Amino acid sequence: MGAMLPPLEVLRLYRPHAGTVASLLDSRAAAAPQRECLVFEQQSIGYAQLRERVGRAAAWLQARGVRTGDRIGVMSTNHPSTVVLLLALARIGAVMVPVNPDYKAAEAGYVFGHAEVSGILCSPDALPTVRAAIAALPQAPWLVLNRGANDVLPVFDDELDALRDAAVPPDAQTPDAPCVFIYTSGTTGFPKGVMHGQRSLILAGEGFVARMYLQPDDRLLCILPMFHINALFYSLAGALAAGATLILVPRFSASTFWHDAARTRATEANTIAAVSNILLRRPRSEFVPGHTLRKIYGAPFTAETYDVFQREFGVPTLIEGYGMSEIPGALNNPFEGPHKIGSMGRPSVHPDPAVQLARLKVVDDDGRELPDGEVGELVVKTPLVMQGYYRDAEQTRAAFRDGWFLTGDLARRDADGYFWFIARKKDIIRKRGENISGAELDRVVESHPQVLQAAAIPVPDALGEDEILIAVVPRPGATVTPHEVADWCRKHLAAIKVPRYVAIVESLPLTPTHRVAKYQMRADAGLRARATDLSGR
């Protein structure tokens, strides 16, 4: 890559947009119609081609009866149809609801039912789960596959190919029109639908241009799943904002990562801690010298991560940051430095200094701002904040105090304005970049006929995030083994939620109000030693 344009100059390469997703795509397609926008396997889609395909998809959706405000689900590994659907739904003012393709039927059924989706785009592999998930819904949504299969269902691309002469619906949306719901686990045990408008998606993408100094000739390798805020709001939105190229792979593969990076001539990639730490420990025979990868965004990075990726793997720039589904892109280490290894960084900025993104404070339990060095809850005020939790006014109110979003994370700020993560206040386990609700695990395990009580907590993982430990109290006179608990979880939960450690105990510590005192469990250093480690099973 040659000399880099400053982030604001990158945005000024394109005519101003109207703050809507359709106008953003239109401006990029007008400036660089033939530039590659989307790459997947052997498929390459240019900006003008994508715009035309999105227009046809919008017409097809309206012909299917999709109207402003409707929700459409997606259950698939990464695929171009997810991008086309999101952009087409945004054009007509409807909402995409992506779901983890590893979810079991009950988990997917809850999201589809809560979001009240009227249609679902899915991969053939996910179809059996989707059919089981919607079986109990009061009104079955229509289904369409994102690739061909031996089934009677229509295929998305075939449907669009049949509409070459369809009139493209006009972009009559506003920046505040909702466009995506990200379902994220919470302390209630049921996922909450985080609602984001078109403004959030666009500002997050433009902020990512500043965060990673994205250039029009950048090629962003997207290995993270498109039901995740990172892939949608950073990789996809960042590529669109820069007029760059998004390279989709179906899912992360450690054994082929470097081959994929070299084959696609990727220049930038986003990771999470588990991904970078897995790559550190993979056989060096998988590494492909001569790759063009120059920038990686992720968190947290250790000194070892910096050393190996820069010295051995030849990736000069690693940027750490912090965000949540509710507040994407809140913090990052500045691209031009200084970089403080292990920190969440400083408040993220927009390429245009007139646009303020995140403001952050560390506060005590009464909301009073704490001085540098003291630990308190991190609170955020940003135009990228969610519009609320779908159909959950109570949880939405509880997430804010005086206009500030309460992250539930404990942090401190140093004298240079960098923030440092300390611990989580909420009952959330962070594993492989996903939020896993401890309350959900408790509820599922307690549904086992031999279990009286259960409590899941995070324990440190060698890959730098959390692993799951669940303590189980059997019913009086009953017997349950750790392997039976794990098998029950495998039957009812996605694989990522299955605990690694199971401790069979006589009782759990309780608070004065008879809630399980999970903070005491976390402080019990011997609990993991007494638990059965199921990783070698």
Side-chain angles (χ1 to χ4, degrees):
M1 297 178 66
M4 291 189 296
L5 293 173
L8 185 56
E9 291 304 308
V10 171
L11 298 190
R12 285 177 173 168
L13 293 172
Y14 311 101
R15 72 187 187 204
H17 58 74
T20 64
V21 171
S23 66
L24 176 71
L25 178 59
D26 288 348
S27 74
R28 275 51 183 170
Q34 303 307 314
R35 185 183 299 155
E36 274 191 321
C37 177
L38 192 59
V39 175
F40 178 77
E41 297 177 346
Q42 305 306 312
Q43 186 178 7
S44 173
I45 302 174
Y47 268 89
Q49 184 183 1
L50 179 64
R51 181 185 181 278
E52 188 268 341
R53 198 154 192 81
V54 167
R56 264 189 278 154
W60 176 81
L61 287 163
Q62 287 192 333
R64 293 295 310 239
V66 179
R67 298 293 179 259
T68 300
D70 285 355
R71 279 80 55 202
I72 303 298
V74 176
M75 191 170 185
S76 171
T77 53
N78 290 349
H79 190 269
S81 60
T82 303
V83 176
V84 173
L85 182 69
L86 170 63
L87 301 180
L89 288 168
R91 188 172 191 91
I92 63 174
V95 178
M96 187 177 83
V97 183
V99 173
N100 186 341
D102 293 329
Y103 269 2
K104 299 295 174 55
E107 299 166 298
Y110 174 81
V111 174
F112 291 144
H114 185 268
E116 302 170 311
V117 300
S118 56
I120 298 171
L121 170 72
C122 70
S123 63
D125 290 345
L127 182 58
T129 300
V130 170
R131 283 181 160 150
I134 66 176
L137 297 183
Q139 186 170 351
W142 50 259
L143 304 179
V144 62
L145 297 175
N146 62 8
R147 63 174 72 204
N150 294 322
D151 199 278
V152 297
L153 292 177
V155 177
F156 188 66
D157 284 349
D158 294 344
E159 296 289 290
L160 301 192
D161 288 342
L163 286 176
R164 291 193 177 275
D165 298 324
V168 175
D171 175 27
Q173 306 313 312
T174 69
D176 292 323
C179 66
V180 64
F181 292 176
I182 302 291
Y183 272 78
T184 182
S185 294
T187 55
T188 60
F190 291 99
K192 299 191 294 291
V194 178
M195 302 186 294
H196 276 288
Q198 301 194 24
R199 185 196 317 274
S200 288
L201 188 67
I202 292 172
L203 284 177
E206 292 175 343
F208 202 67
V209 172
R211 188 177 314 154
M212 299 304 293
Y213 265 61
L214 294 183
Q215 305 293 301
D217 60 353
D218 264 319
R219 299 173 63 83
L220 284 69
L221 181 64
C222 182
I223 60 171
L224 298 179
M226 299 201 80
F227 61 84
H228 196 284
I229 201 82
N230 191 312
L232 291 174
F233 281 63
Y234 306 160
S235 295
L236 171 58
L240 292 175
T245 303
L246 181 72
I247 302 163
L248 284 179
V249 295
R251 62 170 74 231
F252 169 65
S253 168
S255 63
T256 66
F257 174 84
W258 293 109
H259 172 76
D260 290 338
R263 174 181 56 83
T264 62
R265 308 186 314 280
T267 60
E268 194 274 351
N270 292 359
T271 69
I272 54 176
V275 167
S276 56
N277 285 324
I278 287 170
L279 292 172
L280 292 181
R281 290 158 177 77
R282 296 292 298 182
R284 293 302 187 261
S285 60
E286 296 172 353
F287 177 70
V288 180
H291 67 80
T292 53
L293 201 59
R294 294 294 174 260
K295 299 178 280 192
I296 289 181
Y297 174 77
F301 291 148
T302 63
E304 181 188 16
T305 306
Y306 273 88
D307 178 61
V308 172
F309 272 82
Q310 293 177 332
R311 181 175 52 82
E312 288 192 49
F313 296 156
V315 182
T317 303
L318 279 69
I319 300 295
E320 293 180 78
Y322 169 91
M324 299 173 64
S325 296
E326 295 88 342
I327 47 162
L331 290 159
N332 64 269
N333 274 264
F335 187 86
E336 296 182 301
H339 300 160
K340 293 196 175 186
I341 296 175
S343 81
M344 297 187 286
R346 304 182 67 178
S348 296
V349 299
H350 190 273
D352 185 346
V355 179
Q356 184 173 37
L357 293 185
R359 288 180 285 160
L360 298 102
K361 298 190 298 184
V362 175
V363 301
D364 63 18
D365 289 340
D366 296 318
R368 292 187 292 263
E369 186 169 7
L370 295 171
D372 291 346
E374 292 198 20
V375 174
E377 183 173 8
L378 184 67
V379 299
V380 182
K381 184 175 286 190
T382 171
L384 276 70
V385 70
M386 68 171 181
Q387 295 175 324
Y389 296 118
Y390 184 58
R391 296 174 57 195
D392 199 337
E394 181 180 353
Q395 288 290 328
T396 299
R397 285 192 296 271
F400 293 89
R401 180 195 291 129
D402 299 328
W404 292 81
F405 178 77
L406 310 176
T407 67
D409 286 339
L410 299 176
R412 64 175 175 84
R413 183 182 58 209
D414 67 21
D416 297 321
Y418 287 69
F419 289 78
W420 299 80
F421 176 81
I422 304 298
R424 291 181 178 86
K425 291 178 66 176
K426 298 179 180 179
D427 187 15
I428 290 291
I429 300 166
R430 184 76 169 173
K431 182 178 178 182
R432 294 182 218 153
E434 291 296 312
N435 285 338
I436 299 171
S437 166
E440 179 187 31
L441 299 181
D442 301 348
R443 188 182 71 250
V444 168
V445 174
E446 286 176 354
S447 69
H448 189 289
Q450 306 303 320
V451 172
L452 175 66
Q453 198 173 24
I457 61 169
V459 292
D461 171 40
L463 293 178
E465 291 191 334
D466 295 335
E467 195 48 83
I468 300 169
L469 182 152
I470 191 158
V472 176
V473 180
R475 290 186 179 275
T479 301
V480 64
T481 69
H483 292 91
E484 289 171 340
V485 171
D487 287 341
W488 184 262
C489 292
R490 289 188 187 93
K491 182 178 179 181
H492 296 280
L493 295 167
I496 197 173
K497 300 177 184 177
V498 176
R500 174 175 174 176
Y501 301 98
V502 178
I504 307 299
V505 298
E506 294 183 358
S507 62
L508 296 172
L510 301 176
T511 68
T513 56
H514 298 284
R515 296 180 182 272
V516 176
K518 290 192 175 183
Y519 66 93
Q520 292 185 26
M521 294 173 60
R522 294 188 187 98
D524 184 356
L527 185 58
R528 179 159 64 173
R530 301 193 299 272
T532 299
D533 183 350
L534 301 171
S535 62
R537 182 179 178 184

